[in-house]
Amino acid sequence: MNPAARRPSAHRLARLLRQPSARRFGLLLLLLAGFGVALLLVPRPDPAELPQLADALGGYAPVTAVVGGALLMVVLVPRTFVTLATGAIFGPLAGGAYSVGAAALAAALGFAIGRLLGRDFVAERVRGRLARLDGWFTRQSLFGVITVRLLPIAGYGLVSYGYGTTGARPLPYLAGSVIAAAPTAIGYAAIGAAATSPGPVNWYAAAPAGLGLIASVIIIHRWWQAERQRRLGAS
């Protein structure tokens, strides 16, 4: 590359890094990159050893499950893995409940970090279609959040950070995140419990996963109809 062409780019980068919002956004990207590298390097525990953790923690086990599960999701550990682990430790019902609590806390933490480190940078620079997309997140209802959470767009923690960088309202976001996490929590927890305590298939425990799929289809259909009516009204 021509050295003369490099200098303007270097000056633009230097000016950008002098802006507080750009430095915060850079920190957010570094955090996410660090979490991604850690996921590749840190070994995962043996599922057979998980039930012993509950006995070792004693009365602190439920709080540890919720807080620890939330922190794992914040560092981008998949929610499915966390739910399977809580099911293996506490069983399908308690494990599912703790998983929902962890998902709620992780959603709040990820949103807060994304809002603190990334929102100003994004708001200052969105234009055109990105601005319209940001406006859609700002106006988003409870059903819109549930729809995004149920779609296989990205991991649970990454979506939480992404929401924080948008203009999304905290209350619909948090409520939608919890509702979207609940249907599959008991189902995945039941699978985790079965992995450490094999037995007959509990179809009642697996039912929430099927209900979650049905709910996803209904919600997406309702959202699509609402968007179509809005566009017809605007034209």
Side-chain angles (χ1 to χ4, degrees), residues 32 40 56 82 85 105 177 186:
L32 296 179
L40 297 175
V82 174
L105 182 56
S177 297
I186 295 178

Side-chain angles (χ1 to χ4, degrees), residues 6 13 32 42 54 77 90 99 103 124 165 175 198 202 207 213 218 225 227:
R6 289 198 193 109
L13 180 60
L32 296 179
V42 176
V77 173
F90 301 101
S99 172
E124 291 168 359
T165 64
N202 187 346
L213 178 61
I218 294 173
Q225 284 186 323
E227 284 295 304

Side-chain angles (χ1 to χ4, degrees), residues 127-231:
R127 300 288 186 275
R129 291 183 179 180
L130 289 178
R132 290 195 293 273
L133 180 62
D134 186 66
W136 179 77
F137 278 106
T138 302
R139 299 187 303 272
Q140 200 174 46
S141 65
L142 177 69
F143 284 109
V145 177
I146 295 173
T147 301
V148 172
R149 280 294 193 186
L150 291 176
L151 292 174
I153 299 172
Y156 191 86
L158 199 58
V159 172
S160 300
Y161 288 115
Y163 258 104
T165 64
T166 70
R169 294 169 294 163
L171 186 58
Y173 159 77
L174 290 174
S177 297
V178 173
I179 293 172
T184 56
I186 295 178
Y188 283 125
I191 295 173
T196 53
S197 301
V201 176
N202 187 346
W203 295 108
Y204 292 102
L211 292 176
L213 178 61
I214 296 171
S216 301
V217 174
I218 294 173
I219 290 167
I220 293 171
H221 179 67
R222 289 188 60 180
W223 172 78
W224 180 81
Q225 284 186 323
E227 284 295 304
R228 185 180 179 185
Q229 291 176 356
R230 185 183 65 82
R231 291 175 183 175

Side-chain angles (χ1 to χ4, degrees), residues 57-69:
L57 294 171
Y60 296 102
V63 175
T64 303
V66 173
V67 176

Side-chain angles (χ1 to χ4, degrees), residues 15-39:
R15 287 198 303 270
L16 184 64
L17 292 178
R18 284 197 292 268
Q19 300 174 11
S21 63
R23 290 198 296 268
R24 291 196 298 270
F25 189 74
L27 176 59
L28 177 61
L29 295 180
L30 286 175
L31 282 175
L32 296 179
F35 294 153
V37 171
L39 285 179

